[in-house]
Amino acid sequence: MIDRKGTTTNLSNPKINYSDESFWIKLKNFALTAGREVVEKALILYYTAQNPNVPAWAKGVVLGALTYFISPVDAIPDILVGIGFTDDLGVLLAAIATVSVYINADTKEQAKQKMKDWFG
């Protein structure tokens, strides 16, 4: 399970921390702006990291991608309409490609259910 207290994952900027709380806040605040695809990918990664059968290195990849997603420091600022989340999507897709062998049907179903709850 991801450390709910926050874990520093960006060694070049130790002030950017990942926590479940910051993940859910960012996701809820930007779900409509970011769009379904970004939200779905973030949820798939989040639920993959919750799986106790996923090895530590894969969770590290996921944690790095989710830290980038919640970080206020982006290559492309999230406030730019239409393009603000393209860098986030790229990072999330790269992480999914890296850990895809650990993404199972249960993980996809959890993400699908959350998407249904939020977007109908």
Side-chain angles (χ1 to χ4, degrees):
M1 182 158 226
I2 296 174
D3 179 10
R4 294 184 187 277
K5 294 178 184 172
T7 304
T8 300
T9 57
N10 182 341
L11 298 179
S12 64
N13 188 351
K15 293 183 180 186
I16 299 174
N17 296 326
Y18 175 85
S19 72
D20 280 0
E21 180 181 6
S22 58
F23 170 77
W24 288 111
I25 289 170
K26 170 88 179 221
L27 205 58
K28 288 176 184 175
N29 289 338
F30 290 95
L32 292 176
T33 306
R36 293 178 65 93
E37 189 172 7
V38 171
V39 172
E40 178 187 37
K41 302 310 183 231
L43 287 169
I44 287 171
L45 287 171
Y46 176 82
Y47 290 123
T48 297
Q50 302 305 309
N51 183 342
N53 298 323
V54 173
W57 73 264
K59 287 182 181 186
V61 168
V62 169
L63 201 60
L66 294 179
T67 299
Y68 184 84
F69 174 70
I70 65 169
S71 172
V73 179
D74 271 353
I76 302 173
D78 294 341
I79 61 170
L80 296 176
V81 178
I83 63 168
F85 285 92
T86 55
D87 60 322
D88 297 88
L89 180 59
V91 169
L92 297 173
L93 288 171
I96 285 174
T98 303
V99 302
S100 63
V101 70
Y102 300 107
I103 299 172
N104 60 34
D106 290 339
T107 299
K108 290 178 184 177
E109 185 56 36
Q110 286 177 296
K112 183 179 175 181
Q113 186 57 52
K114 185 59 82 174
M115 291 291 293
K116 193 175 187 180
D117 292 347
W118 285 357
F119 291 100

